[in-house]
Amino acid sequence: MLKQIEGSHAMAEAIALCRPEVICAYPITPQTHIVEGLGELVKSGVLQDCEFINVESEFAALSVAIGASAAGARAYTATASQGLLFMAEAVYNAAGLGLPIVMTLGNRAIGAPINIWNDHSDAMSMRDAGWIQLFAETNQEAVDLHILAFRLAEVLSMPVMVCVDGFILTHAVERVDIPDQAQVDAFLPPYDPVQVLDPEHPASIGAMVGPEAFTEVRFLAHYKQRQALRLIPAFSLDFAKIFGRAAGGLLRPYRIEDAETIVVAMGSVCGTIKDVIDAMRDEGEKIGAVSLVSYRPFPVDELRQILAPAKDVVVVEKSIAVGVGGPLADNIDGALRNLDRRPRLHSAIAGLGGRPISRASLRNLFRMAVESPWEGAHFLDLNEHVVGREIHRVRKVRRSGSTAENILRQLALASQLPPG
C-alpha cells in the first residue's frame, strides 16, 4: 500500500509486519520515532503477541534483546550514536553468541563535541563487532531491508544492523510502499531458533573459551559473514519475486557502462551523487557510481570486478578514522590492491556532523579527481580559514620554542572551536 509517511513510522510498520515477539525500547535521537511507532502498534493491538519493554538504558535495551533471543523470541531494538557506544559490550556479545537480533541504527555523529545530526561515525565504530551491516539509500529501501534483515539474521543465526541516515531518512516524509502481511509472511517464515535456553534443559551459552578454541570461534563467525555474501543476493531475488521490486543486494551499480570515473558511497548521499552523475553524463563525461548496501560483510570480489576497468575511483564517505582517513576508502583500497592495473583511488570525507553535501561540491570533487588527483583524505567543503588559522597558531607556538605540553594545549583548544 502506498503511503505518504515519515520514514521512521514506515520502518515501524514494516518491522511490525515481521512479527517481533520482544521489542526493547530506549529513546535516543534520531531513532526514537521508530520505537514510539512500534509501541503504539503494540498498545493498539495491531501488533499482537509482542512484549514491548521500556528499559533504562541503551545497554539494557540490547541486553534484554540478547536474553529474549537466547530464550527463543524474535527480538528487535534500535539505537543511535552514543547509545550504540553505551551498548558496545552487548553489541559484541550478541554477535559472539550468534543471536539473530535485528537492530536499526539511526546514523548520527559521535561527540564530543555533541552533535545530533547525521554521519556514519556510529556504524563505523562497530564495523568489526561481527554484525551484518546494511545501509539504506531511501526510506523505501529502509523498509525493505528490515524485512530482509530478519530472514538473513535467522538463517545465519547472527545479528543484523540496518543503518539509516538520521533525520535525512528517519524524519523525511515521502511516498513509501508498505507491504501487506501476506507478502511478508510469504518471505519471512516463522522463527525457528537454532539455540534456545530452556529451564527444563539447563545449559550455558557464552561460557569461557580458552586459547585452544577461541580462534575457531572467531573463524566460524567470519565464515558465516562470508556466507552472507551469497545469501544477500539470493534473498534479494526472492524478495523481488514476492514484492515486485528490487531490494537489498550487496551493491548497486549506476551508469557504469564505459565509465572512466566511478564514485562509491553508502546511504542517502547516493541519491545526490546520482543526480550529479546524470548531469555530468549529459555533458559527455564518462562517470558512474556504486551504491554500497552491504558494508559488512564487505563485497571485495564484486567491487573489484566493477571498479577494475575504471581509471579513477572516488570514495565519498561520512566518517573518518582519525589519524588514518576514510574507513570505507581503506577497505576499497584493500579490494583493489592486487590488480595488475589498478585505478587511482581518491578518498573524500564529507557530511560530518550533518554538514550538507551539495551537488556543486560533488561535481567539483569528481572533476578534481581527474584533473588534480590527491593523496590521503580530502575533506569536502573544509573551512580552510578556521583550520588554517589554528594550524598557523600552533606552528607559531612551536617556532617560539614552547614545550610539547604547550603545543598540545594549543591543539586541544583549536579542536573545540566551531567552524566559521
Side-chain angles (χ1 to χ4, degrees):
M1 177 187 295
L2 290 175
K3 288 186 175 182
Q4 191 76 5
I5 187 171
E6 185 192 75
S8 291
H9 292 150
M11 287 178 247
E13 291 191 18
I15 292 160
L17 291 170
C18 295
R19 303 184 189 272
E21 296 165 294
V22 175
I23 295 171
C24 312
Y26 189 82
I28 180 171
T29 303
Q31 64 82 18
T32 306
H33 290 183
I34 301 173
V35 290
E36 282 181 345
L38 284 164
E40 292 168 0
L41 293 171
V42 172
K43 185 176 181 180
S44 65
V46 173
L47 175 54
Q48 299 179 352
D49 302 320
C50 178
E51 187 170 358
F52 186 90
I53 304 174
N54 284 302
V55 295
E56 68 274 12
S57 71
E58 293 89 355
F59 181 83
L62 189 51
S63 297
V64 171
I66 286 172
S69 183
R74 181 174 281 168
Y76 169 82
T77 190
T79 193
S81 187
Q82 264 84 349
L84 182 66
L85 298 187
F86 191 27
M87 61 168 66
E89 181 182 357
V91 172
Y92 275 81
N93 284 341
L97 294 172
L99 297 173
I101 299 163
V102 172
M103 178 167 67
T104 309
L105 182 65
N107 292 122
R108 168 186 153 183
I110 291 175
I114 204 72
N115 181 293
I116 66 168
W117 290 275
N118 166 250
D119 65 28
H120 292 163
S121 302
D122 48 7
M124 294 300 108
S125 75
M126 295 292 148
R127 63 186 181 272
D128 298 324
W131 287 58
I132 290 173
Q133 288 185 328
L134 306 176
F135 280 78
E137 178 180 336
T138 65
N139 275 324
Q140 183 65 67
E141 188 170 39
V143 163
D144 297 343
L145 284 179
H146 279 91
I147 300 168
L148 191 146
F150 277 100
R151 183 171 173 186
L152 187 63
E154 291 166 11
V155 168
L156 288 169
S157 195
M158 66 188 309
V160 179
M161 192 182 298
V162 181
C163 303
V164 294
D165 284 348
F167 295 109
I168 300 171
L169 295 184
T170 58
H171 289 58
V173 176
E174 58 186 342
R175 190 177 75 163
V176 178
D177 187 357
I178 307 293
D180 59 41
Q181 189 67 66
Q183 288 175 306
V184 177
D185 289 345
F187 179 79
L188 179 65
Y191 180 34
D192 181 18
V194 172
Q195 55 181 341
V196 179
L197 290 178
D198 183 356
E200 299 298 321
H201 302 90
S204 177
I205 63 172
M208 176 73 73
V209 173
E212 73 284 350
F214 194 77
T215 298
E216 287 71 24
V217 171
R218 281 290 176 259
F219 170 82
L220 291 171
H222 176 69
Y223 177 80
K224 287 200 292 183
Q225 283 256 350
R226 302 300 294 174
Q227 290 300 300
L229 291 172
R230 174 179 56 84
L231 291 177
I232 291 171
F235 290 166
S236 299
L237 289 175
D238 291 346
F239 188 97
K241 292 174 185 176
I242 294 170
F243 296 87
R245 61 176 177 269
L250 298 170
L251 47 79
R252 285 188 307 277
Y254 184 76
R255 303 193 73 169
I256 62 167
E257 65 284 356
D258 78 356
E260 296 179 353
T261 301
I262 298 180
V263 183
V264 185
M266 301 188 297
S268 60
V269 72
C270 293
T272 309
I273 289 171
K274 290 174 182 176
D275 288 343
V276 175
I277 285 171
D278 287 342
M280 294 179 73
R281 277 279 180 178
D282 290 343
E283 296 166 3
E285 302 196 40
K286 295 179 179 180
I287 184 169
V290 174
S291 302
L292 193 62
V293 180
S294 174
Y295 181 62
R296 289 290 183 268
F298 194 72
V300 171
D301 294 339
E302 293 78 6
L303 268 172
R304 183 188 292 122
Q305 183 177 353
I306 289 173
L307 300 180
K311 293 181 180 178
D312 294 276
V313 173
V314 184
V315 183
V316 179
E317 56 185 310
K318 293 183 173 184
S319 61
I320 179 170
V322 176
V324 177
L328 175 57
D330 190 50
N331 288 151
I332 292 174
D333 182 50
L336 300 176
R337 193 164 292 148
N338 294 324
L339 290 175
D340 293 334
R341 190 210 63 81
R342 55 173 290 166
R344 295 185 300 185
L345 183 65
H346 316 279
S347 171
I349 311 299
L352 297 184
R355 178 168 292 185
I357 303 175
S358 70
R359 285 177 290 184
S361 293
L362 288 173
R363 178 191 289 259
N364 291 336
L365 177 74
F366 302 157
R367 285 181 171 158
M368 184 172 71
V370 177
E371 298 168 2
S372 305
W374 63 89
E375 294 289 333
H378 171 78
F379 287 75
L380 189 67
D381 295 335
L382 182 70
N383 191 322
E384 301 283 357
H385 173 70
V386 169
V387 297
R389 183 186 65 200
E390 298 310 317
I391 290 171
H392 174 74
R393 183 164 64 179
V394 171
R395 287 175 176 170
K396 186 176 180 181
V397 171
R398 187 187 300 124
R399 285 195 299 269
S400 69
S402 295
T403 64
E405 289 80 3
N406 284 336
I407 294 171
L408 289 173
R409 190 176 297 112
Q410 291 291 329
L411 280 169
L413 289 171
S415 68
Q416 298 173 33
L417 290 173

